[in-house]
Each structure stands twice: as structure tokens, then as C-alpha cells.
Amino acid sequence: MTERMIHGLIGMVFWIGYLAYRKPAFGAGKKVGLLVFALVGTWVPDWDLAFGIGFHRSPLTHSALPVFLVVWITRSFSRQVIPVGLAIGLASHLFWDIIVYGNVQWIPGGSNDRLFLLLNALGLVWWAIKRDPGVH
């Protein structure tokens, strides 16, 4: 439970940083939507256990892959707020895992695990910043 709260708090810090950097010109509703999906995004990497993958820190869930799957699924009704929020939250989770854990299954070596997490987290942050969450 404590770890869940930490991930949520770090997700909120990333959300605040995103808003401060992007300075989006849309209303509170979309900002709250980004926060909600950012908080959901902080949980996404831990779904590897819920979906029966059999071990924690799967590269399938501890990567950018879930966000791009959501982009494809939501392409007809939410091109921005849902996937951008998820990207912010997932990136925050991956950054925290670099600091605290760093072991991703199937990737040999602690430094390689952390590099994998870092590249995915930076990619998600870059992608989220480049998107315009004001659309849809």
C-alpha cells in the first residue's frame, strides 16, 4: 500500500511538472482528466501480476508499450487526454523503479535494466510533451 501511494505521489509531481512545462491553454476539466489518467498510469506497470504474466516487472508492462496500445485502442474517441495522462503516470512509475528497484525480467544486468527503464521513461515524457492534449 505504501508503494502504491508513493507511485501516486510521484505521478502527481510529474503531472504538475508537465502542466508547468506545457502551460496548456485548456480548462480545469482536461487538467483533472490528465491527472486521473496519470494516476491510472502509475498502476499500469503493476498489472503484470493482475494479468497472470507470472512475475513482476515484465518488460511488457514496464515499458512504453501499454501507452501505445492505449493510443491505438482510444484513437477514435480520445486522441490525447487518456494516452498523454497514462504516459505521464507510466513514466513516473518507471523513473521511481529506476531509483528503487531497477530489475526488469528478461533483461540481464542491473545497469541494463535501469537503462531500459530510463529510455522508456524518457521516451514517454518526450512523447507526452510533444502531443497536444487540447485535442479531443
Side-chain angles (χ1 to χ4, degrees):
M1 184 62 162
T2 302
E3 192 66 26
R4 178 75 254 125
M5 290 175 25
I6 291 169
H7 277 303
L9 289 172
I10 295 169
M12 291 174 71
V13 169
F14 270 59
W15 171 75
I16 291 167
Y18 173 83
L19 292 178
Y21 182 81
R22 279 296 311 254
K23 297 177 183 51
F26 52 78
K30 284 193 177 181
K31 290 176 184 173
V32 169
L34 282 172
L35 175 60
V36 167
F37 287 104
L39 291 173
V40 170
T42 67
W43 277 345
V44 168
D46 294 336
W47 291 355
D48 50 11
L49 296 173
F51 290 126
I53 292 174
F55 54 85
H56 190 43
R57 289 190 197 85
S58 164
L60 300 174
T61 58
H62 281 71
S63 69
L65 182 62
V67 169
F68 296 113
L69 182 61
V70 167
V71 167
W72 182 73
I73 291 169
T74 64
R75 68 189 179 280
S76 65
F77 61 88
S78 177
R79 296 184 185 200
Q80 306 305 331
V81 171
I82 293 172
V84 168
L86 287 173
I88 294 166
L90 181 54
S92 74
H93 185 113
L94 298 181
F95 273 117
W96 182 249
D97 279 0
I98 292 167
I99 295 167
V100 179
Y101 303 106
N103 61 329
V104 178
Q105 300 296 323
W106 304 335
I107 297 177
S111 60
N112 291 335
D113 295 17
R114 285 182 166 85
L115 180 61
F116 175 83
L117 292 169
L118 178 64
L119 292 175
N120 277 274
L122 290 174
L124 287 168
V125 168
W126 176 83
W127 181 85
I129 288 171
K130 293 297 179 186
R131 304 297 285 191
D132 182 4
V135 178
H136 285 211

